Amino acid sequence: MSSYANGLLKWNKIFLASLILLLTSFTMNKNHLSSKQTLAKPTASFQLGSSTIRSSLEHLKLDGNVSFDSIDHAAKDFGNRYHSLPLAVMHPQSVSDISSTIKLVFAMGGSSDITVAARGRGHSLAGQAQARGGVIMSMESLRHPEMRFYPGKMPYVDVSGGELWINILHESLKHGLTPKSWTDYLHLTVGGTLSNAGVSGQAFRHGPQINNVHQLEVVTGTGDVVRCSDDENSDLFHGVLGGLGQFGIITRARIALGPAPTMVKWIRLLYSDFSIFTEDQEFLISSQNSFDYIEGFVIINRTGLVNDWRSSFSPKDPVRASQLQSEGKVLFCLEVAKYLYPENNYDVNQNIETILSELNYIPSTLFQSEVPYVQFLDRVHISEMKLRKKGLWEIPHPWLNLLVPKSKIHDFAAGVFGNIIRDTSNGPILIYPVNKSQWRNGTSMVTPEEDIFYLVAFLSSAIPYSTGKDGLEHILSENKRILNFCASTQLGVKQYLPQYSTQDEWKAHFGKQWEVFSRRKSTYDPLAILAPGQRIFKKAVAFQ
């Protein structure tokens, strides 16, 4: 076929999609943002078939490519519970690839129910980065712009939204710099974590990752490419941060940097009294000269605790530590770290001794280690490699992440630890406080009303086909009991990495923020094309 004929065919397809959009614009379901959505099926005469959509995608002029076969991987994620097969997987190599694809889908209007979801490393828990019958944007293939560093008094790096945090770490260290705030797992994309928040043990000091972004480039649900920041297109900027992918796909981010340490003093301390444990955690996050990283976890009925740590942690008192028994007990571990720089090693050691002297942990349960900065930050990946060798990584992960107000954390602990959850053999339970004064105002991230709240993360793994306590159904039942307990006792808990099925549930989650959230959706993604796997909005389609 001649180039002229090809061009004519492509023009005809675009014209057809535009004509259908015009014809159906008066019959669109205008109520696609309401809490009680009932979307009638499009009439056969208006509904674009998958073959037509596939042909349109195939004829897009792209720098990357689109795949229609061998795309089963895009129907899976880390949670390994939801499996929605897309129509196609796009491998964009430029921002225009993403923009052109979304513009094409947008031009189809209500004639098609096709949607678009951005996928990084597929680390979602409940199909949030999936799009049944839609288009998956495989963001790792986006390598434009290249990573660029800008040193100075306020250093930063410009990176692609598909870049991995572990790569940013390695490259920034070459400049003696590092991002300030992390997640516990670094093999995730920038766009993925910024769409949620990005919380870890540094959040009490630097805020989550969404606090440490100067500027974004975003492709909205209409295909527009928009640069935004606190001062430019600020409504979109704040909406996208923690926005669960609802308003646009992050294609570029400007990340704040700071001086990089070389080594880390990594310390764990044990408590048997929850009140003392939380008092010490809250004391540390409020201290000016404290640690650089503060987390904690719950240990319920775990045998061989000390032996689990012995390979990487040394007890200060080996004799007494070896006598510690964790079986049948509920213990609480405070995990902290202090960064070491070449010029301050002695001062840091002195500072650590001073801080530790003010804490009330169980005598003889001081476990410590000194490791390279990269090894500390990438600690979860080391565990991942071990689990992969045992075939225990790609299994269901029914995780539950909660944000609990400080005033209710003791009620929560009394009702859950040792009661609903009787052991931690299925996975760790993280628990640590953060200070909301360090969090950026106006983002889409939902937190409890109080200034200090706790992140409590139940990071369970389920053994496939098991019908016992390590099986998926049992763990999901425990999660439901925890949520029901929080609701019945009105603890004011909010989910982090939220998972809901109905829009009424989402409305309750967002509370007073729902009006702004839904208004932003209608502004930046009016057809509800983006991130359908979050199950917040349904795409509006033509009905009879």
Side-chain angles (χ1 to χ4, degrees):
M1 186 181 292
S2 69
S3 59
Y4 171 78
N6 275 328
L8 184 60
L9 177 61
K10 180 178 179 181
W11 185 90
N12 283 338
K13 291 181 180 296
I14 295 174
F15 175 78
L16 175 62
S18 301
L19 179 61
I20 292 173
L21 174 63
L22 178 64
L23 291 173
T24 60
S25 62
F26 297 104
T27 58
M28 295 291 288
N29 182 358
K30 300 296 184 180
N31 197 36
H32 73 279
L33 298 181
S34 72
S35 61
K36 297 181 180 179
Q37 304 172 62
T38 54
L39 304 182
K41 292 183 179 180
T43 60
S45 60
F46 284 101
Q47 178 72 6
L48 287 179
S50 60
S51 59
T52 302
I53 296 171
R54 174 169 176 163
S55 178
S56 298
L57 291 170
E58 286 176 329
H59 284 84
L60 278 175
K61 185 177 180 181
L62 301 171
D63 296 309
N65 61 83
V66 59
S67 300
F68 298 93
D69 304 309
S70 300
I71 57 175
D72 290 359
H73 68 281
K76 302 177 182 178
D77 57 26
F78 182 69
N80 205 11
R81 294 170 50 212
Y82 295 80
H83 303 88
S84 299
L85 189 68
L87 170 68
V89 174
M90 185 75 66
H91 303 276
Q93 292 189 4
S94 65
V95 177
S96 65
D97 285 354
I98 299 173
S99 175
S100 297
T101 303
I102 294 178
K103 283 182 177 179
L104 174 66
V105 175
F106 183 75
M108 294 175 184
S111 63
S112 167
D113 59 2
I114 191 168
T115 54
V116 178
R119 174 188 169 92
R121 294 302 299 274
H123 211 261
S124 298
L125 299 174
Q128 289 93 337
Q130 298 177 27
R132 184 182 299 276
V135 179
I136 298 296
M137 287 291 172
S138 183
M139 296 302 292
E140 276 195 273
S141 66
L142 182 65
R143 285 291 179 262
H144 177 78
E146 295 181 356
M147 204 180 305
R148 294 182 181 179
F149 290 86
Y150 297 85
K153 291 184 179 180
M154 298 181 66
Y156 63 88
V157 58
D158 271 340
V159 297
S160 161
E163 191 60 82
L164 300 184
W165 286 100
I166 185 64
N167 295 338
I168 299 174
L169 172 62
H170 287 302
E171 290 301 314
S172 62
L173 288 176
K174 295 176 183 178
H175 301 267
L177 298 168
T178 177
K180 300 174 182 179
S181 190
W182 298 95
T183 55
D184 287 330
Y185 182 61
L186 306 188
H187 295 252
L188 304 172
T189 60
V190 168
T193 65
L194 295 183
S195 295
N196 289 282
V199 182
S200 185
Q202 304 87 3
F204 79 97
R205 173 164 294 175
H206 299 291
Q209 289 183 318
I210 59 174
N211 253 55
N212 296 274
V213 183
H214 295 320
Q215 188 182 87
L216 296 173
E217 179 184 75
V218 175
V219 180
T220 69
T222 59
D224 295 325
V225 182
V226 183
R227 186 174 63 187
C228 54
S229 66
D230 276 325
D231 301 318
E232 181 181 13
N233 298 309
S234 61
D235 184 65
L236 178 61
F237 181 68
H238 292 108
V240 167
L241 295 175
L244 307 175
Q246 293 301 301
F247 315 121
I249 295 176
I250 297 172
T251 54
R252 183 180 65 82
R254 180 168 293 180
I255 309 296
L257 302 174
T262 54
M263 301 292 290
V264 174
K265 280 279 190 180
W266 189 4
I267 299 168
R268 287 175 175 171
L269 313 162
L270 291 179
Y271 296 75
S272 59
D273 186 295
F274 186 71
S275 294
I276 297 175
F277 168 69
T278 54
E279 284 176 8
D280 278 2
Q281 281 194 319
E282 291 166 17
F283 163 73
L284 290 175
I285 70 165
S286 64
S287 300
Q288 292 296 319
N289 190 23
S290 180
F291 292 100
D292 297 295
Y293 161 97
I294 298 171
E295 287 197 7
F297 50 93
V298 185
I299 305 153
I300 306 175
N301 199 22
R302 283 289 303 276
T303 304
L305 171 67
V306 176
N307 288 332
D308 290 342
W309 290 352
R310 201 179 293 280
S311 61
S312 55
F313 287 85
S314 301
K316 190 172 183 179
D317 185 345
V319 176
R320 295 179 64 185
S322 65
Q323 299 172 355
L324 178 66
Q325 297 295 322
S326 57
E327 188 172 358
K329 297 180 180 179
V330 179
L331 298 174
F332 307 95
C333 175
L334 173 61
E335 184 174 47
V336 295
K338 191 73 172 178
Y339 297 158
L340 304 180
Y341 301 83
E343 69 278 4
N344 73 342
N345 280 6
Y346 175 78
D347 292 339
V348 166
N349 288 329
Q350 289 291 103
N351 178 244
I352 289 174
E353 291 296 327
T354 300
I355 298 172
L356 292 177
S357 69
E358 299 183 69
L359 304 181
N360 297 291
Y361 56 93
I362 299 174
S364 80
T365 65
L366 169 58
F367 296 83
Q368 56 190 344
S369 181
E370 187 171 320
V371 298
Y373 180 60
V374 172
Q375 181 180 329
F376 170 71
L377 290 180
D378 205 26
R379 60 197 179 279
V380 177
H381 183 61
I382 297 171
S383 298
E384 174 191 350
M385 294 298 99
K386 295 177 181 178
L387 292 172
R388 284 190 181 277
K389 288 182 180 179
K390 298 178 181 179
L392 296 175
W393 184 256
E394 294 183 357
I395 60 177
H397 294 93
W399 287 7
L400 177 65
N401 297 270
L402 303 176
L403 304 177
V404 184
K406 171 188 169 181
S407 67
K408 301 296 184 180
I409 192 63
H410 294 279
D411 296 332
F412 179 89
V416 175
F417 303 145
N419 186 9
I420 297 176
I421 304 297
R422 297 183 178 275
D423 65 65
T424 49
S425 58
N426 291 330
I429 301 175
L430 302 185
I431 178 169
Y432 57 93
V434 293
N435 191 332
K436 194 157 62 175
S437 65
Q438 301 297 324
W439 292 48
R440 176 181 251 131
N441 292 325
T443 71
S444 294
M445 173 66 180
V446 177
T447 63
E449 294 292 332
E450 298 180 12
D451 290 336
I452 295 177
F453 54 88
Y454 280 76
L455 185 144
V456 186
F458 299 85
L459 309 182
S460 302
S461 298
I463 302 302
Y465 310 113
S466 172
T467 57
K469 292 183 178 180
D470 57 358
L472 178 61
E473 292 306 315
H474 177 79
I475 296 171
L476 289 175
S477 176
E478 286 186 331
N479 289 351
K480 186 175 181 179
R481 288 179 64 194
I482 293 170
L483 291 172
N484 287 341
F485 170 75
C486 293
S488 64
T489 52
Q490 298 181 331
L491 297 185
V493 169
K494 293 294 185 181
Q495 282 195 39
Y496 175 56
L497 308 177
Q499 304 173 38
Y500 298 107
S501 299
T502 69
Q503 197 173 83
D504 283 334
E505 292 175 314
W506 281 106
K507 279 188 173 183
H509 170 74
F510 282 103
K512 62 184 181 182
Q513 292 180 231
W514 173 254
E515 184 178 348
V516 172
F517 193 83
S518 59
R519 190 265 303 162
R520 284 170 171 164
K521 184 68 171 180
S522 63
T523 300
Y524 303 113
D525 184 21
L527 296 185
I529 289 170
L530 300 176
Q534 295 284 3
R535 298 182 289 278
I536 307 176
F537 304 96
K538 290 183 180 180
K539 184 179 179 183
V541 293
F543 65 96
Q544 197 167 19

